[in-house]
Amino acid sequence: QVQLVESGGGLVQAGGSLRLSCAASGRTFSSYVMGWFRQAPGKEREFVGRIMWSGGSTYYADSVKGRFTISRDNAKNTVYLQMNSLKPEDTAVYYCAAGDVGKGYGYWGQGTQVTVSS
C-alpha cells in the first residue's frame, strides 16, 4: 500500500518561502510520476507541477513557474516543493500525488495547509 505524507506547511508572509515535503512509502517509485496539487477554499483542485521519479524531469503550471521548484531525494523516497516569492493567492491546501506514468494519480497524501498573508 502506497502512503504519501506531506509536511512543511504553515503561515508565511507574502514574498517569503516554504518547502513542502512528501515522504513516500510502500513500493518502489522508479516508474512513477509525482505531482503537487493545491486547492483553495471554494475553488477546484489545481495542478501545481510534477516530477518524473526516474530522470527527474519537471513540469510546472504557469501560475508557479519561476517561483516553485520540485525536486526529489531518491535515497529518502521524498519529493520536495520549494516555494519562493509566495503570494496570497498561493494560499491553499497542498497535496502530493503519485501514479504510474500515463495512468493518472492513484495515490494522494492528506494535504498540508499553506497560508500566505499580505
PDB file of all heavy atoms in Angstrom, residues 1-4 23-34 53 74 76-78 98-101 103 106-107:
ATOM      1  N   GLN A   1       0.842  -1.185   0.000  1.00  0.00           N
ATOM      2  CA  GLN A   1       0.000   0.000   0.000  1.00  0.00           C
ATOM      3  C   GLN A   1       0.881   1.240   0.000  1.00  0.00           C
ATOM      4  O   GLN A   1       1.731   1.408   0.848  1.00  0.00           O
ATOM      5  CB  GLN A   1      -0.904   0.010   1.241  1.00  0.00           C
ATOM      6  CG  GLN A   1      -1.872   1.174   1.300  1.00  0.00           C
ATOM      7  CD  GLN A   1      -2.989   1.068   0.278  1.00  0.00           C
ATOM      8  OE1 GLN A   1      -3.153   0.034  -0.354  1.00  0.00           O
ATOM      9  NE2 GLN A   1      -3.749   2.114   0.127  1.00  0.00           N
ATOM     10  N   VAL A   2       0.636   2.093  -0.979  1.00  0.00           N
ATOM     11  CA  VAL A   2       1.415   3.318  -1.080  1.00  0.00           C
ATOM     12  C   VAL A   2       0.910   4.335  -0.069  1.00  0.00           C
ATOM     13  O   VAL A   2      -0.296   4.525   0.089  1.00  0.00           O
ATOM     14  CB  VAL A   2       1.315   3.904  -2.502  1.00  0.00           C
ATOM     15  CG1 VAL A   2       1.983   5.255  -2.570  1.00  0.00           C
ATOM     16  CG2 VAL A   2       1.936   2.944  -3.506  1.00  0.00           C
ATOM     17  N   GLN A   3       1.831   4.961   0.610  1.00  0.00           N
ATOM     18  CA  GLN A   3       1.482   6.045   1.536  1.00  0.00           C
ATOM     19  C   GLN A   3       2.287   7.279   1.184  1.00  0.00           C
ATOM     20  O   GLN A   3       3.489   7.192   0.919  1.00  0.00           O
ATOM     21  CB  GLN A   3       1.771   5.633   2.972  1.00  0.00           C
ATOM     22  CG  GLN A   3       0.759   4.664   3.542  1.00  0.00           C
ATOM     23  CD  GLN A   3       0.910   4.488   5.042  1.00  0.00           C
ATOM     24  OE1 GLN A   3       2.010   4.472   5.563  1.00  0.00           O
ATOM     25  NE2 GLN A   3      -0.207   4.350   5.726  1.00  0.00           N
ATOM     26  N   LEU A   4       1.599   8.412   1.190  1.00  0.00           N
ATOM     27  CA  LEU A   4       2.236   9.697   0.940  1.00  0.00           C
ATOM     28  C   LEU A   4       1.917  10.612   2.119  1.00  0.00           C
ATOM     29  O   LEU A   4       0.746  10.775   2.478  1.00  0.00           O
ATOM     30  CB  LEU A   4       1.707  10.328  -0.349  1.00  0.00           C
ATOM     31  CG  LEU A   4       1.834   9.495  -1.624  1.00  0.00           C
ATOM     32  CD1 LEU A   4       1.138  10.195  -2.779  1.00  0.00           C
ATOM     33  CD2 LEU A   4       3.291   9.232  -1.959  1.00  0.00           C
ATOM     34  N   ALA A  23       6.820  12.461   1.803  1.00  0.00           N
ATOM     35  CA  ALA A  23       7.525  11.202   2.045  1.00  0.00           C
ATOM     36  C   ALA A  23       6.678  10.053   1.527  1.00  0.00           C
ATOM     37  O   ALA A  23       5.507   9.908   1.904  1.00  0.00           O
ATOM     38  CB  ALA A  23       7.793  11.039   3.532  1.00  0.00           C
ATOM     39  N   ALA A  24       7.271   9.259   0.655  1.00  0.00           N
ATOM     40  CA  ALA A  24       6.552   8.169   0.011  1.00  0.00           C
ATOM     41  C   ALA A  24       7.045   6.826   0.529  1.00  0.00           C
ATOM     42  O   ALA A  24       8.236   6.635   0.758  1.00  0.00           O
ATOM     43  CB  ALA A  24       6.748   8.250  -1.498  1.00  0.00           C
ATOM     44  N   SER A  25       6.124   5.897   0.694  1.00  0.00           N
ATOM     45  CA  SER A  25       6.498   4.555   1.150  1.00  0.00           C
ATOM     46  C   SER A  25       5.528   3.537   0.583  1.00  0.00           C
ATOM     47  O   SER A  25       4.464   3.884   0.080  1.00  0.00           O
ATOM     48  CB  SER A  25       6.483   4.490   2.683  1.00  0.00           C
ATOM     49  OG  SER A  25       5.183   4.745   3.187  1.00  0.00           O
ATOM     50  N   GLY A  26       5.932   2.285   0.637  1.00  0.00           N
ATOM     51  CA  GLY A  26       5.029   1.210   0.261  1.00  0.00           C
ATOM     52  C   GLY A  26       5.379   0.501  -1.025  1.00  0.00           C
ATOM     53  O   GLY A  26       4.810  -0.548  -1.321  1.00  0.00           O
ATOM     54  N   ARG A  27       6.268   1.072  -1.823  1.00  0.00           N
ATOM     55  CA  ARG A  27       6.684   0.405  -3.050  1.00  0.00           C
ATOM     56  C   ARG A  27       7.871   1.170  -3.617  1.00  0.00           C
ATOM     57  O   ARG A  27       8.249   2.208  -3.096  1.00  0.00           O
ATOM     58  CB  ARG A  27       5.556   0.352  -4.065  1.00  0.00           C
ATOM     59  CG  ARG A  27       5.037   1.699  -4.527  1.00  0.00           C
ATOM     60  CD  ARG A  27       4.417   1.587  -5.890  1.00  0.00           C
ATOM     61  NE  ARG A  27       5.431   1.337  -6.893  1.00  0.00           N
ATOM     62  CZ  ARG A  27       5.155   0.816  -8.077  1.00  0.00           C
ATOM     63  NH1 ARG A  27       3.911   0.461  -8.366  1.00  0.00           N
ATOM     64  NH2 ARG A  27       6.115   0.633  -8.964  1.00  0.00           N
ATOM     65  N   THR A  28       8.396   0.653  -4.699  1.00  0.00           N
ATOM     66  CA  THR A  28       9.432   1.402  -5.404  1.00  0.00           C
ATOM     67  C   THR A  28       8.765   2.354  -6.387  1.00  0.00           C
ATOM     68  O   THR A  28       7.736   2.018  -6.982  1.00  0.00           O
ATOM     69  CB  THR A  28      10.374   0.467  -6.165  1.00  0.00           C
ATOM     70  OG1 THR A  28       9.592  -0.332  -7.067  1.00  0.00           O
ATOM     71  CG2 THR A  28      11.113  -0.454  -5.215  1.00  0.00           C
ATOM     72  N   PHE A  29       9.333   3.524  -6.548  1.00  0.00           N
ATOM     73  CA  PHE A  29       8.673   4.572  -7.306  1.00  0.00           C
ATOM     74  C   PHE A  29       9.394   4.919  -8.597  1.00  0.00           C
ATOM     75  O   PHE A  29       9.099   5.945  -9.201  1.00  0.00           O
ATOM     76  CB  PHE A  29       8.539   5.821  -6.434  1.00  0.00           C
ATOM     77  CG  PHE A  29       7.616   5.623  -5.273  1.00  0.00           C
ATOM     78  CD1 PHE A  29       8.100   5.178  -4.048  1.00  0.00           C
ATOM     79  CD2 PHE A  29       6.264   5.833  -5.398  1.00  0.00           C
ATOM     80  CE1 PHE A  29       7.257   4.975  -2.977  1.00  0.00           C
ATOM     81  CE2 PHE A  29       5.409   5.634  -4.328  1.00  0.00           C
ATOM     82  CZ  PHE A  29       5.910   5.205  -3.117  1.00  0.00           C
ATOM     83  N   SER A  30      10.292   4.067  -9.024  1.00  0.00           N
ATOM     84  CA  SER A  30      11.126   4.422 -10.164  1.00  0.00           C
ATOM     85  C   SER A  30      10.320   4.673 -11.426  1.00  0.00           C
ATOM     86  O   SER A  30      10.732   5.422 -12.297  1.00  0.00           O
ATOM     87  CB  SER A  30      12.169   3.334 -10.408  1.00  0.00           C
ATOM     88  OG  SER A  30      11.522   2.096 -10.650  1.00  0.00           O
ATOM     89  N   SER A  31       9.156   4.056 -11.562  1.00  0.00           N
ATOM     90  CA  SER A  31       8.336   4.249 -12.760  1.00  0.00           C
ATOM     91  C   SER A  31       7.221   5.260 -12.532  1.00  0.00           C
ATOM     92  O   SER A  31       6.328   5.400 -13.367  1.00  0.00           O
ATOM     93  CB  SER A  31       7.735   2.917 -13.191  1.00  0.00           C
ATOM     94  OG  SER A  31       6.833   2.445 -12.203  1.00  0.00           O
ATOM     95  N   TYR A  32       7.267   5.963 -11.459  1.00  0.00           N
ATOM     96  CA  TYR A  32       6.166   6.834 -11.078  1.00  0.00           C
ATOM     97  C   TYR A  32       6.418   8.292 -11.466  1.00  0.00           C
ATOM     98  O   TYR A  32       7.545   8.751 -11.594  1.00  0.00           O
ATOM     99  CB  TYR A  32       5.941   6.766  -9.572  1.00  0.00           C
ATOM    100  CG  TYR A  32       4.910   5.723  -9.161  1.00  0.00           C
ATOM    101  CD1 TYR A  32       4.871   4.488  -9.787  1.00  0.00           C
ATOM    102  CD2 TYR A  32       3.994   5.986  -8.166  1.00  0.00           C
ATOM    103  CE1 TYR A  32       3.935   3.544  -9.416  1.00  0.00           C
ATOM    104  CE2 TYR A  32       3.063   5.043  -7.777  1.00  0.00           C
ATOM    105  CZ  TYR A  32       3.035   3.821  -8.409  1.00  0.00           C
ATOM    106  OH  TYR A  32       2.102   2.891  -8.036  1.00  0.00           O
ATOM    107  N   VAL A  33       5.313   8.996 -11.574  1.00  0.00           N
ATOM    108  CA  VAL A  33       5.328  10.441 -11.641  1.00  0.00           C
ATOM    109  C   VAL A  33       4.764  10.956 -10.320  1.00  0.00           C
ATOM    110  O   VAL A  33       3.783  10.426  -9.812  1.00  0.00           O
ATOM    111  CB  VAL A  33       4.518  10.976 -12.846  1.00  0.00           C
ATOM    112  CG1 VAL A  33       3.090  10.459 -12.842  1.00  0.00           C
ATOM    113  CG2 VAL A  33       4.537  12.498 -12.862  1.00  0.00           C
ATOM    114  N   MET A  34       5.405  11.955  -9.765  1.00  0.00           N
ATOM    115  CA  MET A  34       4.986  12.557  -8.505  1.00  0.00           C
ATOM    116  C   MET A  34       4.497  13.964  -8.782  1.00  0.00           C
ATOM    117  O   MET A  34       5.206  14.772  -9.385  1.00  0.00           O
ATOM    118  CB  MET A  34       6.144  12.601  -7.511  1.00  0.00           C
ATOM    119  CG  MET A  34       6.801  11.252  -7.274  1.00  0.00           C
ATOM    120  SD  MET A  34       5.730  10.062  -6.459  1.00  0.00           S
ATOM    121  CE  MET A  34       5.564  10.805  -4.839  1.00  0.00           C
ATOM    122  N   TRP A  53       9.951  10.427 -11.370  1.00  0.00           N
ATOM    123  CA  TRP A  53      10.876   9.879 -10.388  1.00  0.00           C
ATOM    124  C   TRP A  53      12.163   9.414 -11.055  1.00  0.00           C
ATOM    125  O   TRP A  53      13.251   9.594 -10.521  1.00  0.00           O
ATOM    126  CB  TRP A  53      10.221   8.723  -9.638  1.00  0.00           C
ATOM    127  CG  TRP A  53      10.921   8.451  -8.361  1.00  0.00           C
ATOM    128  CD1 TRP A  53      12.019   7.672  -8.172  1.00  0.00           C
ATOM    129  CD2 TRP A  53      10.599   9.014  -7.090  1.00  0.00           C
ATOM    130  NE1 TRP A  53      12.401   7.725  -6.858  1.00  0.00           N
ATOM    131  CE2 TRP A  53      11.549   8.530  -6.168  1.00  0.00           C
ATOM    132  CE3 TRP A  53       9.605   9.881  -6.654  1.00  0.00           C
ATOM    133  CZ2 TRP A  53      11.517   8.875  -4.830  1.00  0.00           C
ATOM    134  CZ3 TRP A  53       9.575  10.223  -5.315  1.00  0.00           C
ATOM    135  CH2 TRP A  53      10.523   9.730  -4.419  1.00  0.00           C
ATOM    136  N   ASN A  74      16.096  10.443  -3.927  1.00  0.00           N
ATOM    137  CA  ASN A  74      15.824   9.022  -4.131  1.00  0.00           C
ATOM    138  C   ASN A  74      16.116   8.207  -2.884  1.00  0.00           C
ATOM    139  O   ASN A  74      15.383   7.275  -2.543  1.00  0.00           O
ATOM    140  CB  ASN A  74      16.665   8.504  -5.292  1.00  0.00           C
ATOM    141  CG  ASN A  74      16.182   9.028  -6.627  1.00  0.00           C
ATOM    142  OD1 ASN A  74      15.107   9.619  -6.719  1.00  0.00           O
ATOM    143  ND2 ASN A  74      16.979   8.839  -7.652  1.00  0.00           N
ATOM    144  N   LYS A  76      15.838   8.998   0.162  1.00  0.00           N
ATOM    145  CA  LYS A  76      14.834   9.203   1.209  1.00  0.00           C
ATOM    146  C   LYS A  76      13.408   8.963   0.701  1.00  0.00           C
ATOM    147  O   LYS A  76      12.450   9.107   1.468  1.00  0.00           O
ATOM    148  CB  LYS A  76      14.936  10.623   1.760  1.00  0.00           C
ATOM    149  CG  LYS A  76      16.243  10.916   2.473  1.00  0.00           C
ATOM    150  CD  LYS A  76      16.255  12.332   3.035  1.00  0.00           C
ATOM    151  CE  LYS A  76      17.542  12.606   3.780  1.00  0.00           C
ATOM    152  NZ  LYS A  76      17.584  13.987   4.338  1.00  0.00           N
ATOM    153  N   ASN A  77      13.262   8.627  -0.571  1.00  0.00           N
ATOM    154  CA  ASN A  77      11.921   8.451  -1.157  1.00  0.00           C
ATOM    155  C   ASN A  77      11.034   9.669  -0.860  1.00  0.00           C
ATOM    156  O   ASN A  77       9.863   9.546  -0.475  1.00  0.00           O
ATOM    157  CB  ASN A  77      11.246   7.199  -0.615  1.00  0.00           C
ATOM    158  CG  ASN A  77      11.344   6.031  -1.578  1.00  0.00           C
ATOM    159  OD1 ASN A  77      12.066   6.103  -2.583  1.00  0.00           O
ATOM    160  ND2 ASN A  77      10.639   4.964  -1.295  1.00  0.00           N
ATOM    161  N   THR A  78      11.606  10.830  -1.039  1.00  0.00           N
ATOM    162  CA  THR A  78      10.912  12.061  -0.683  1.00  0.00           C
ATOM    163  C   THR A  78      10.968  13.050  -1.845  1.00  0.00           C
ATOM    164  O   THR A  78      12.001  13.178  -2.514  1.00  0.00           O
ATOM    165  CB  THR A  78      11.537  12.692   0.570  1.00  0.00           C
ATOM    166  OG1 THR A  78      11.400  11.781   1.662  1.00  0.00           O
ATOM    167  CG2 THR A  78      10.849  14.003   0.933  1.00  0.00           C
ATOM    168  N   ALA A  98       0.856  10.476  -6.457  1.00  0.00           N
ATOM    169  CA  ALA A  98       1.757   9.578  -7.182  1.00  0.00           C
ATOM    170  C   ALA A  98       0.951   8.685  -8.108  1.00  0.00           C
ATOM    171  O   ALA A  98      -0.202   8.337  -7.829  1.00  0.00           O
ATOM    172  CB  ALA A  98       2.558   8.718  -6.202  1.00  0.00           C
ATOM    173  N   GLY A  99       1.592   8.316  -9.205  1.00  0.00           N
ATOM    174  CA  GLY A  99       0.925   7.427 -10.126  1.00  0.00           C
ATOM    175  C   GLY A  99       1.868   6.889 -11.173  1.00  0.00           C
ATOM    176  O   GLY A  99       2.913   7.482 -11.438  1.00  0.00           O
ATOM    177  N   ASP A 100       1.485   5.774 -11.754  1.00  0.00           N
ATOM    178  CA  ASP A 100       2.249   5.242 -12.875  1.00  0.00           C
ATOM    179  C   ASP A 100       2.143   6.207 -14.054  1.00  0.00           C
ATOM    180  O   ASP A 100       1.071   6.772 -14.300  1.00  0.00           O
ATOM    181  CB  ASP A 100       1.701   3.880 -13.295  1.00  0.00           C
ATOM    182  CG  ASP A 100       2.240   2.759 -12.429  1.00  0.00           C
ATOM    183  OD1 ASP A 100       3.480   2.675 -12.318  1.00  0.00           O
ATOM    184  OD2 ASP A 100       1.437   1.999 -11.881  1.00  0.00           O
ATOM    185  N   VAL A 101       3.215   6.341 -14.754  1.00  0.00           N
ATOM    186  CA  VAL A 101       3.227   7.242 -15.910  1.00  0.00           C
ATOM    187  C   VAL A 101       2.128   6.832 -16.880  1.00  0.00           C
ATOM    188  O   VAL A 101       1.999   5.672 -17.267  1.00  0.00           O
ATOM    189  CB  VAL A 101       4.600   7.188 -16.597  1.00  0.00           C
ATOM    190  CG1 VAL A 101       4.576   8.024 -17.875  1.00  0.00           C
ATOM    191  CG2 VAL A 101       5.675   7.713 -15.653  1.00  0.00           C
ATOM    192  N   LYS A 103      -1.055   6.720 -16.351  1.00  0.00           N
ATOM    193  CA  LYS A 103      -2.238   6.102 -15.741  1.00  0.00           C
ATOM    194  C   LYS A 103      -2.901   7.000 -14.719  1.00  0.00           C
ATOM    195  O   LYS A 103      -3.815   6.566 -14.015  1.00  0.00           O
ATOM    196  CB  LYS A 103      -1.844   4.771 -15.097  1.00  0.00           C
ATOM    197  CG  LYS A 103      -1.357   3.733 -16.098  1.00  0.00           C
ATOM    198  CD  LYS A 103      -1.057   2.407 -15.420  1.00  0.00           C
ATOM    199  CE  LYS A 103      -0.589   1.365 -16.429  1.00  0.00           C
ATOM    200  NZ  LYS A 103      -0.297   0.068 -15.781  1.00  0.00           N
ATOM    201  N   GLY A 106      -2.968   7.826  -8.726  1.00  0.00           N
ATOM    202  CA  GLY A 106      -3.815   6.914  -7.974  1.00  0.00           C
ATOM    203  C   GLY A 106      -3.656   7.011  -6.475  1.00  0.00           C
ATOM    204  O   GLY A 106      -4.461   6.465  -5.725  1.00  0.00           O
ATOM    205  N   TYR A 107      -2.633   7.726  -6.034  1.00  0.00           N
ATOM    206  CA  TYR A 107      -2.343   7.829  -4.604  1.00  0.00           C
ATOM    207  C   TYR A 107      -2.192   9.293  -4.230  1.00  0.00           C
ATOM    208  O   TYR A 107      -1.551  10.064  -4.950  1.00  0.00           O
ATOM    209  CB  TYR A 107      -1.069   7.058  -4.264  1.00  0.00           C
ATOM    210  CG  TYR A 107      -1.114   5.613  -4.683  1.00  0.00           C
ATOM    211  CD1 TYR A 107      -0.517   5.196  -5.858  1.00  0.00           C
ATOM    212  CD2 TYR A 107      -1.782   4.677  -3.901  1.00  0.00           C
ATOM    213  CE1 TYR A 107      -0.573   3.875  -6.251  1.00  0.00           C
ATOM    214  CE2 TYR A 107      -1.845   3.345  -4.297  1.00  0.00           C
ATOM    215  CZ  TYR A 107      -1.239   2.961  -5.470  1.00  0.00           C
ATOM    216  OH  TYR A 107      -1.309   1.653  -5.850  1.00  0.00           O
TER     217      TYR A 107
END
